[in-house]
Amino acid sequence: GFRSCPQRADCGDGSPSSAAAQTPSGEDFSLSLLDTNLPAEAETELRSFIAKRLTKGALFEGMGNVASVGLSIPEYKVGCYYCRFQQENLLEIATLESDINAPEYVVCFLGGSEKEDTFRLELDKYTQSLKIKLDLEQKPLETYFNCYLRSWFENAICPIQRVVQLFQEKLTSLLHAALSYTPVEVKNADERTEKDISRFLAAASLQGLVQEGTMTSLCIAMTEGQHKSMIIDCSGPQPQLHNAESNRFCEDWMHAFLNGAEGGNPFLFRQILENFKLKAIQGINNLKRFIRQAEMNHYALFKCYMFLKNCGSGDILLKIVKVEHAEMPEARNVVTVLEEFMRE
């Protein structure tokens, strides 16, 4: 039996997107187009790419995939994010009346870069909110689809770039707040700017890269301690920051972002952000190694101190490591001595 299911595609160096529908592998299925901004030839190529994936059963419900797809227009490979989902509210009907099948969709977003993998989480969230909207409405909404899907690039890919352009040199304090889990309050900002800032902070934090317990303890320490929230006032053309902190590490990375801004490629900013976090994690791991050595000998303690002094991010690294070593008496002694050194 055939299932008719909707599909949608948009393409390009920034504007692309697409959603298609389908059935599980092994059955006959049809892909019908819901909406696209791809030229006809490229749309057919994309459709056949998606159909092959469906036939192989390589598309799991709600799990986004990223692949490089060769399309005749533009004549090079583009990054393609695609995700299959089904309308939940119709599942009950489908089980009650076997001849009615809940429609399934495949949404595709094409970017003029193969770097879309770095945005997989954002695009998963974006697709999820589309699915929720569909479930609430209980019917496919072409007009909503058009509007929502065409703004995917603006909404999911560009926030980091917009924040870099808005903050300029002040980005250093935003990076510092994200790394140190300093609470941030945004005032007098429009809804999009507020959302952009919170997305940037989430993307720049070490969530998922350091132990979950460490994150929790850090957040508690930063909220309960003498630590004031950083306040961002967006009432003027340039954000004004209060209680802002910075360090050399964040300043260096701020320059990397501003240099990247000249090319104006939003995918590049995400890559810079990932490298920023990678460097921070390397710093934490190096410091932990030095602390382990310093438990045994005093020369290593001095090496530890020199590392903290020279890495440019000693203030934050020490906080993170202190939280992680709270349960270990030998390490705690080393951390206490290092804190005194740093204060002096």
Side-chain angles (χ1 to χ4, degrees), residues 67-320:
S68 177
V69 185
L71 298 178
S72 52
I73 311 163
E75 286 158 7
Y76 63 96
K77 284 186 183 301
V78 291
C80 174
Y81 165 91
Y82 56 98
C83 184
R84 166 190 158 197
F85 66 92
Q86 189 170 25
Q87 260 177 279
E88 297 291 341
N89 53 46
L90 293 171
L91 286 176
E92 295 158 29
I93 307 170
T95 49
L96 291 172
E97 307 170 38
S98 54
D99 57 329
I100 300 177
N101 289 315
E104 294 189 71
Y105 302 86
V106 178
V107 62
C108 305
F109 297 127
L110 301 178
S113 152
E114 291 176 41
K115 293 284 181 206
E116 243 166 289
D117 203 22
T118 52
F119 282 98
R120 185 198 303 259
L121 289 175
E122 281 88 344
L123 293 173
D124 278 347
K125 277 184 197 157
Y126 203 70
T127 305
Q128 190 56 32
S129 52
L130 173 71
K131 173 178 155 51
I132 290 165
K133 183 74 179 171
L134 265 180
D135 291 344
L136 291 172
E137 297 295 343
Q138 311 219 351
K139 60 181 182 293
L141 294 176
E142 271 74 355
T143 49
Y144 174 73
F145 259 44
N146 293 357
C147 189
Y148 187 82
L149 287 169
R150 283 177 193 276
S151 56
W152 74 278
F153 193 76
E154 272 301 297
N155 291 342
I157 308 293
C158 295
I160 295 171
Q161 183 179 35
R162 285 197 293 265
V163 168
V164 172
Q165 288 163 345
L166 178 66
F167 279 77
Q168 298 291 316
E169 277 80 12
K170 291 176 182 169
L171 192 72
T172 176
S173 299
L174 207 56
L175 291 168
H176 191 279
L179 271 194
S180 60
Y181 282 80
T182 302
V184 174
E185 284 177 46
V186 181
K187 296 183 170 175
N188 306 315
D190 59 77
E191 193 188 348
R192 185 170 87 164
T193 304
E194 198 167 336
K195 230 183 230 171
D196 283 355
I197 294 170
S198 77
R199 277 184 182 174
F200 184 92
L201 288 166
S205 82
L206 299 179
Q207 195 78 44
L209 295 176
V210 297
Q211 296 162 15
E212 214 35 65
T214 303
M215 289 295 83
T216 314
S217 309
L218 258 181
C219 291
I220 293 168
M222 296 308 269
T223 317
E224 286 180 351
Q226 299 308 301
H227 220 86
K228 294 193 177 101
S229 298
M230 179 169 92
I231 293 162
I232 302 171
D233 185 353
C234 295
S235 47
Q238 268 271 295
Q240 296 304 309
L241 309 184
H242 307 282
N243 309 326
E245 291 182 50
S246 177
N247 62 26
R248 202 177 67 244
F249 178 79
C250 294
E251 275 165 32
D252 291 345
W253 281 96
M254 172 270 291
H255 289 299
F257 277 102
L258 293 188
N259 294 339
E262 290 160 23
N265 176 356
F267 292 98
L268 176 67
F269 291 104
R270 187 49 189 263
Q271 205 51 61
I272 297 172
L273 205 49
E274 293 307 314
N275 296 345
F276 161 77
K277 294 195 290 188
L278 192 65
K279 271 283 176 255
I281 289 291
Q282 282 171 354
I284 292 168
N285 292 336
N286 285 334
L287 180 57
K288 282 182 185 170
R289 197 175 70 246
F290 287 135
I291 286 176
R292 276 199 301 275
Q293 293 165 0
E295 290 169 17
M296 270 42 113
N297 94 50
H298 288 296
Y299 175 67
L301 183 64
F302 179 70
K303 241 169 61 172
C304 231
Y305 167 63
M306 290 311 291
F307 170 75
L308 279 174
K309 221 170 132 54
N310 296 326
C311 71
S313 198
D315 56 333
I316 295 175
L317 297 188
L318 200 54
K319 263 182 207 148
I320 293 174

